[in-house]
């Protein structure tokens, strides 16, 4: 009989700091997360784990991570966390892990849950919107991909790999091109059944070098993909239910009701300049 392992994919939770008025937080993300956790509790078969693929908070401060920790405490399942560009490593370590040392270190890790090898990368680069994979992570990834060779592998990364020429026109949307190429070379022939990501705020699946890259809309707001000249954000929330089988990966998206009302607009040139300015400041 074919083995099946069910999991939940959350992303872009954008939990805010309690009692803090944040003009860049467009919905009640805490209430949304609580609703989704209630839905997860009804799913059969019971999921083996939850993946939360970055932008866990909206501001990255320790208080927001403490709030996230409090909400997630009601979930009686293992949770695999990744960091996104809205998060900060220090805020996560202090507020979520109660850690007080090595606060600048990237957060990458792997574990086996119910027959699935989960490999989590930290694609966040402090001070930047777009993503990258640091050399130490690539060295670690090369080693860890050699382990558990008989098990299907899921890679978790907040930023997805660069697809086509999107990096040339929107460098903030993905892992930078040179790191995307390195990642593609490393995972070739390594039993990677999928990559779970977020960041761009709409549901998308791309078969990339034979591997499904699954991006979730997330729990904050949605990108209106029908509008190309600006980044138009509208009401929209979803999460995903995934199943890993011997034959591969299945993902079903669960959208919550939405009127798709406009929340904000970002000029593309502003985002490009902001990303370039952040990158220059980080050098």
């Amino acid at each position: 009989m074919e083995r099946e392992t069910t999991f939940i994919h959350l992303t872009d939770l954008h939990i805010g700091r309690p009692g803090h008025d944040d003009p860049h937080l467009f919905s009640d993300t805490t209430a949304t997360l609580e609703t989704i956790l209630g839905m997860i509790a009804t799913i059969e078969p019971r999921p083996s784990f939850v993946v939360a693929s970055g932008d866990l908070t909206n501001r990255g401060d320790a208080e927001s991570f403490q709030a996230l920790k409090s909400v997630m405490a009601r979930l009686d399942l293992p949770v695999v966390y990744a960091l996104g560009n809205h998060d900060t490593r220090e805020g996560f370590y202090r507020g979520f892990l109660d850690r007080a040392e090595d606060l600048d270190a990237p957060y990458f890790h792997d574990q086996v849950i119910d027959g699935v090898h989960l490999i989590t990368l930290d694609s966040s680069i402090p001070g930047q919107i777009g993503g990258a994979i640091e050399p130490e992570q690539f060295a670690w990834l090369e080693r860890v991909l050699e382990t558990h060779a008989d098990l299907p592998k899921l890679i978790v990364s907040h930023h997805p790999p660069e697809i086509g020429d999107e990096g040339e026109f929107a460098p903030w949307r993905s892992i930078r091109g040179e790191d995307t190429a390195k990642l593609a070379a490393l995972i070739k022939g390594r039993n990677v059944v999928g990559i779970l990501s977020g960041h761009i705020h709409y549901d998308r699946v791309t078969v990339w070098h034979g591997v499904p890259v699954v991006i979730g809309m997330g729990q904050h707001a949605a990108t209106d993909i029908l509008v190309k000249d600006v980044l138009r954000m509208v009401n929209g929330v979803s999460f995903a239910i995934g199943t890993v089988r011997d034959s591969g990966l299945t993902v079903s998206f669960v959208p919550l009701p939405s009127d798709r009302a406009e929340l904000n607009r970002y000029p593309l040139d502003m985002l490009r300049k902001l990303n370039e300015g952040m990158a220059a400041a980080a050098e």
Side-chain angles (χ1 to χ4, degrees):
M1 180 180 295
E2 188 175 48
R3 181 182 179 88
E4 296 187 357
T5 301
T6 298
F7 67 91
I8 303 300
H9 180 207
L10 308 177
T11 193
D12 294 88
L13 284 66
H14 285 266
I15 296 300
R17 180 179 175 182
H20 180 71
D21 184 21
D22 186 346
H24 298 286
L25 191 60
F26 305 134
S27 64
D28 189 343
T29 49
T30 298
T32 296
L33 179 57
E34 290 172 341
T35 296
I36 290 174
L37 294 183
M39 297 171 72
I40 291 172
T42 70
I43 293 173
E44 293 291 342
R46 187 173 186 266
S48 295
F49 57 88
V50 173
V51 170
S53 61
D55 277 4
L56 307 173
T57 64
N58 202 49
R59 289 291 188 178
D61 56 284
E63 291 83 0
S64 295
F65 277 107
Q66 289 167 356
L68 171 66
K69 186 175 182 178
S70 178
V71 175
M72 295 298 286
R74 65 179 283 190
L75 187 63
D76 185 24
L77 290 171
V79 184
V80 177
Y81 293 99
L83 298 184
N85 56 290
H86 275 258
D87 302 313
T88 66
R89 294 168 179 173
E90 179 175 352
F92 174 71
Y93 289 137
R94 289 190 184 278
F96 201 86
L97 297 186
D98 297 319
R99 173 171 146 179
E101 56 186 19
D102 296 326
L103 299 179
D104 295 329
Y107 182 65
F108 54 93
H109 51 94
D110 77 309
Q111 57 193 297
V112 173
I113 305 177
D114 201 7
V116 178
H117 186 196
L118 292 140
I119 301 172
T120 303
L121 300 172
D122 186 346
S123 63
S124 69
I125 299 298
Q128 296 189 34
I129 303 173
I133 306 298
E134 297 156 324
E136 68 172 301
Q137 291 193 65
F138 274 122
W140 170 82
L141 178 61
E142 186 170 11
R143 294 192 302 270
V144 82
L145 282 169
E146 295 286 352
T147 66
H148 309 293
D150 58 323
L151 296 182
K153 302 179 188 299
L154 285 174
I155 292 178
V156 181
S157 168
H158 178 66
H159 297 82
E162 182 179 296
I163 304 299
D165 59 0
E166 66 181 1
E168 179 180 350
F169 300 102
W172 61 84
R173 288 169 54 91
S174 63
I175 296 170
R176 61 189 180 187
E178 56 267 39
D179 291 347
T180 291
K182 290 180 184 178
L183 182 61
L186 274 181
I187 69 172
K188 185 177 180 180
R190 301 298 184 93
N191 202 17
V192 176
V193 298
I195 298 175
L196 305 177
S197 298
H199 187 57
I200 61 174
H201 288 259
Y202 61 89
D203 294 328
R204 189 182 84 183
V205 178
T206 302
V207 179
W208 175 72
H209 299 285
V211 176
V213 178
V214 179
I215 299 174
M217 180 187 300
Q219 286 78 64
H220 176 212
T223 299
D224 185 352
I225 63 172
L226 300 179
V227 176
K228 302 296 185 181
D229 57 339
V230 297
L231 178 62
R232 180 175 183 260
M233 305 304 296
V234 299
N235 279 328
V237 169
S238 79
F239 68 98
I241 305 172
T243 304
V244 177
R245 300 182 176 88
D246 295 338
S247 55
L249 174 67
T250 298
V251 173
S252 301
F253 296 105
V254 184
L256 276 61
S258 171
D259 59 5
R260 290 184 61 81
E262 182 171 303
L263 299 173
N264 206 354
R265 286 178 176 242
Y266 297 96
L268 300 185
D269 190 54
M270 180 200 78
L271 291 173
R272 186 177 294 107
K273 290 178 179 178
L274 179 62
N275 191 67
E276 291 170 353
M278 287 181 166
E283 291 176 354

